[in-house]
Amino acid sequence: TEDGERKVTKFYVVTWNPEPGRVERIFVPVDKYGEKAALLKACRIRREKEKEMYGSVVKPNWLASFSKLVTL
């Protein structure tokens, strides 16, 4: 901020490699969407990027991780 204070923002980061040597990322802010909605949005984006890269969703990876997060 202008007075020198730091603002902490919580967000989920979606990363993917569209080609070798290149990393892209999208930040999904929790303040804007809420905790659950931000997580769901980040998961949706990740699945979309998996479809673009691999032709289908890599279900075993994201579903197992998502299940663990939801039960916390």
Side-chain angles (χ1 to χ4, degrees), residues 45-71:
I45 293 168
R46 177 62 193 188
R47 289 191 309 271
E48 288 173 4
K49 297 304 177 184
E50 288 176 354
K51 286 180 187 177
E52 290 174 16
M53 292 185 307
Y54 308 119
S56 65
V57 174
V58 184
K59 290 180 183 179
N61 292 342
W62 82 265
L63 189 55
S65 297
F66 183 73
S67 298
K68 289 177 188 175
L69 288 171
V70 172
T71 58

Side-chain angles (χ1 to χ4, degrees), residues 22-61:
R22 186 169 149 218
V23 177
E24 292 195 18
R25 60 184 59 87
I26 294 177
F27 297 86
V28 183
V30 172
D31 290 348
K32 182 175 181 179
Y33 297 103
E35 184 78 35
K36 186 174 181 180
L39 176 61
L40 292 172
K41 183 174 180 69
C43 289
R44 181 183 54 78
I45 293 168
R46 177 62 193 188
R47 289 191 309 271
E48 288 173 4
K49 297 304 177 184
E50 288 176 354
K51 286 180 187 177
E52 290 174 16
M53 292 185 307
Y54 308 119
S56 65
V57 174
V58 184
K59 290 180 183 179
N61 292 342

